[in-house]
Amino acid sequence: MTRNEHMRPEDAGVAGRHVRPILSVRNVCKFFPVTSRGFFQRQIGTVRAVDHVSFDIMPGETLGLVGESGCGKTTIARTILRALKPTSGEVFFSPPPSVTSRQSSVSSKQLSVNSQEHWPLNLATLSESRLKPLRTRMQMIFQDPFSSLNPRMTVGAIVGEPLAIHKLARGSELKGRVAEMLKMVGLEPGHASRYPHAFSGGQRQRIGIARALIMRPHLIIADEPVSALDVSVQAQVINLLGDIQQQFELSYMFVAHDLSVVKHICDRIAVMYVGKIVELAVTEDIFYAPKHPYTSALLSAVPNPDPDIPMSFELSGEVADPANLPPGCVFHPRCPYAEPRCRAEVPVLRDFEAGHSASCHFADKLTLAGISS
Ligand SMILES: Nc1ncnc2c1ncn2[C@@H]1O[C@H](COP(=O)(O)OP(=O)(O)O)[C@@H](O)[C@H]1O
Ligand code: SF4
Ligand SMILES: [Mg+2]
């Protein structure tokens, strides 16, 4: 299946066999307490950073997660990987069948948790000791390649560190694995002895990708991996992520604040607004037939090659404060289609057609502008 010949979860089956999602996020919430200042800190509010979020990622699929800054994208990414403990909800993880039955090149120690009958595992409630071997299976690539690499470590030490921490390789084997990974991401094995400051932003992001890849993960969560890079370099890094996906049988959750970044890499896109998914569909439907006014507004920032297609409205105002949500539909203060019902009633995420859901009271009545091609 090529990129954008989209795979819907319900279509996923191999020779009639149902393929399980690699990741199933179910009703996940992550709330942060807001406390008063002073000695006796009392809870005076709650930041609803992630509020009942559900989605699946299939083996080999790239799911985009898009929304403006402050919508909760990083919080859901960190919660999935259990860098944050969810307030509630479930995060089921299950490596693809081809992986659970194959001898892992990374570690025979991992095979103790890599037996089919254990899957799927709910990461939300797993103890730290059960989580530790699974952490090798899921890796994160960070937004800022300048601050995410330790400036006092050589590139070789940075890339090889996960293997060293998990005691999976050392000495010449470790060096060989690092050299192999550097080549995979378009760097030179000789770069291993240099320090991060000697590299450009794009090269640093390649170092971050090599570090993530060295554990042979099944799932990579890339949190705005190209946002800090020049536009000319963004495409190179996105292409690299696409190239390694098939080779390593990877699934991606690709986080971005800009829809144009995810257009060519994602099979499906989830649009997030103030802690909730407001629309979820295959990439073509998000671009050509959006059903939520927020999605349509995000599309207004994407260059439109067809001048006959009307522009959507441009977003005005700020993202709502997740500690002080407006009543009803949280998008209503910015929505040109808002009616009295929108201020009173919270819309639920509903399916409109197979694989296309949106949370807007008027999603089936509105004709929203998309992008032609
Ligand atoms: N540790 C924290 N304590 C309190 N609020 C937080 C914390 N982390 C994130 N938030 C808040 O949660 C919301 C979502 O943040 P974040 O997940 O970083 O959004 P995004 O990645 O989409 O920009 C923001 O309002 C942010 O201020
Ligand atoms: S429910 Fe109302 S305010 Fe919310 S997106 Fe739909 S039309 Fe706009
Ligand atoms: Mg973020």
Side-chain angles (χ1 to χ4, degrees):
M1 180 171 292
T2 57
R3 176 73 47 231
N4 288 349
E5 277 174 28
H6 302 293
M7 175 175 59
R8 297 167 197 262
E10 61 273 24
D11 298 337
V14 176
R17 184 160 48 94
H18 178 69
V19 176
R20 230 177 357 219
I22 186 165
L23 189 78
S24 246
V25 175
R26 288 287 167 270
N27 281 313
V28 166
C29 296
K30 181 63 194 176
F31 300 159
F32 299 105
V34 181
T35 51
S36 61
R37 290 169 187 270
F39 188 72
F40 296 106
Q41 292 195 338
R42 284 182 305 112
Q43 183 169 348
I44 54 172
T46 302
V47 177
R48 301 172 78 93
V50 172
D51 197 352
H52 293 91
V53 164
S54 299
F55 58 83
D56 290 338
I57 301 180
M58 303 305 293
E61 187 185 32
T62 301
L63 179 80
L65 186 67
V66 178
E68 291 164 286
S69 190
C71 281
K73 306 180 299 296
T74 297
T75 305
I76 186 75
R78 299 189 71 218
T79 305
I80 288 169
L81 297 180
R82 270 289 299 274
L84 294 169
K85 192 149 180 14
T87 305
S88 60
E90 293 156 320
V91 179
F92 294 106
F93 177 70
S94 183
S98 63
V99 174
T100 48
S101 59
R102 113 185 148 206
Q103 189 76 13
S104 169
S105 62
V106 172
S107 163
S108 56
K109 288 176 195 160
Q110 290 175 355
L111 295 179
S112 60
V113 292
N114 203 3
S115 144
Q116 192 68 37
E117 71 260 16
H118 293 295
W119 309 110
L121 288 173
N122 182 7
L123 307 180
T125 53
L126 225 50
S127 67
E128 201 43 54
S129 60
R130 297 290 309 281
L131 268 172
K132 194 178 170 201
L134 285 174
R135 290 196 189 284
T136 64
R137 307 279 173 182
M138 300 167 284
Q139 295 286 310
M140 191 146 168
I141 300 171
F142 297 94
Q143 173 171 1
D144 186 354
F146 291 88
S147 63
S148 60
L149 304 178
N150 186 335
R152 286 180 292 280
M153 287 169 77
T154 63
V155 167
I158 290 169
V159 173
E161 188 180 42
L163 283 180
I165 287 175
H166 289 272
K167 297 189 173 63
L168 299 173
R170 60 195 172 111
S172 57
E173 191 198 347
L174 182 60
K175 274 192 177 163
R177 297 277 281 279
V178 168
E180 181 195 13
M181 275 309 134
L182 290 177
K183 277 197 271 181
M184 293 264 186
V185 299
L187 296 170
E188 306 280 334
H191 287 152
S193 57
R194 298 201 201 157
Y195 288 85
H197 65 78
F199 295 88
S200 67
Q203 285 174 317
R204 288 185 199 209
Q205 201 50 296
R206 287 174 193 267
I207 296 166
I209 293 169
R211 180 186 161 95
L213 272 186
I214 204 160
M215 300 305 289
R216 305 268 171 170
H218 314 309
L219 175 71
I220 288 188
I221 298 189
D223 188 5
E224 306 218 31
V226 298
S227 299
L229 304 178
D230 290 345
V231 174
S232 57
V233 182
Q234 288 186 353
Q236 294 167 13
V237 172
I238 289 177
N239 287 343
L240 171 65
L241 290 170
D243 291 344
I244 59 176
Q245 181 165 33
Q246 289 210 328
Q247 205 173 345
F248 286 82
E249 297 179 53
L250 288 168
S251 304
Y252 287 133
M253 185 171 110
F254 193 104
V255 176
H257 62 258
D258 179 348
L259 270 170
S260 56
V261 168
V262 296
K263 188 174 180 189
H264 298 294
I265 195 168
C266 292
D267 298 294
R268 292 185 300 138
I269 294 175
V271 178
M272 198 165 175
Y273 188 70
V274 200
K276 287 184 191 286
I277 288 179
V278 295
E279 184 160 8
L280 178 60
V282 295
T283 302
E284 277 154 23
D285 289 350
I286 289 286
F287 275 81
Y288 311 143
K291 291 201 171 290
H292 196 285
Y294 182 60
T295 309
S296 182
L298 289 180
L299 286 169
S300 70
V302 177
N304 188 349
D306 185 347
D308 294 334
I309 298 242
M311 284 286 286
S312 159
F313 65 95
E314 284 191 25
L315 272 172
S316 58
E318 297 291 314
V319 175
D321 178 0
N324 188 16
L325 292 173
C329 173
V330 291
F331 189 55
H332 87 249
R334 305 172 81 188
C335 182
Y337 308 101
E339 295 192 17
R341 180 182 173 194
C342 305
R343 295 177 191 94
E345 197 183 319
V346 178
V348 293
L349 193 65
R350 297 179 281 151
D351 277 346
F352 288 89
E353 44 208 64
H356 194 159
S357 49
S359 62
C360 168
H361 294 310
F362 307 112
D364 42 1
K365 296 196 186 79
L366 296 173
T367 307
L368 298 168
I371 296 285
S372 59
S373 62

